[in-house]
């Protein structure tokens, strides 16, 4: 195998590794929501799942944008908002995402209290 073929092979392996990491990040974001929806369908446990999901979304978005991602798959976005010097629109979207996550969690607690 030539050096060029080895380089291509290593490049493909790196791309597959990056894709796997990106899938892991997406699964960790969307699976808790799917679990909450499945529990809603069954009618049990949805309050707890919603509470946990809301907190996880708010915490995960805060971690990625204010500190650093646990899995560095975002390229330039591996840097936090402070380093990137993002604009007020980005800060507003982050704040709203965290706020909505907290409100979803509160709604889950309320629903749990009604049961």
């Amino acid at each position: 195998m030539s050096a060029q073929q080895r380089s291509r092979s290593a490049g493909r392996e790196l791309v597959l590794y990056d894709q796997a990491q990106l899938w892991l990040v997406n699964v960790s974001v969307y699976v808790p929501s799917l679990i909450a929806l499945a529990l809603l369908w069954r009618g049990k446990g949805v309050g707890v799942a919603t509470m946990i999901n809301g907190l996880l979304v708010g915490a995960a978005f805060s971690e990625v944008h204010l500190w650093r991602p646990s899995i560095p798959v975002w390229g330039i976005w591996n840097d936090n908002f402070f380093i990137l010097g993002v604009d007020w629109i980005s800060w507003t979207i982050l704040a709203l995402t965290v706020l909505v996550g907290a409100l979803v969690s509160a709604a889950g607690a309320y629903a749990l209290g009604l049961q």
Side-chain angles (χ1 to χ4, degrees):
M1 182 183 288
S2 71
Q4 186 177 17
Q5 287 173 329
R6 281 193 302 272
S7 177
R8 280 189 198 144
S9 177
R12 271 186 247 129
E13 289 173 7
L14 184 59
V15 167
L16 289 175
Y17 179 73
D18 287 344
Q19 288 175 346
Q21 286 182 328
L22 190 57
W23 272 103
L24 178 64
V25 168
N26 282 308
V27 165
S28 69
V29 169
Y30 295 114
V31 166
S33 298
L34 292 174
I35 290 170
L37 286 173
L39 290 172
L40 178 63
W41 190 264
R42 289 184 59 211
K44 294 187 178 193
V46 69
V48 174
T50 303
M51 282 177 15
I52 293 169
N53 187 37
L55 293 175
L56 284 176
V57 167
F61 269 80
S62 297
E63 176 198 8
V64 166
H65 297 298
L66 298 177
W67 186 45
R68 66 172 178 79
S70 299
I71 302 172
V73 294
W74 305 113
I76 187 174
W77 296 109
N78 284 330
D79 293 330
N80 64 43
F81 274 17
F82 302 109
I83 294 171
L84 294 171
V86 299
D87 59 2
W88 66 271
I89 295 171
S90 298
W91 283 107
T92 303
I93 292 170
L94 174 64
L96 287 174
T97 302
V98 173
L99 176 65
V100 168
L103 291 175
V104 165
S105 184
Y110 179 75
L112 187 62
L114 292 177
Q115 291 179 352

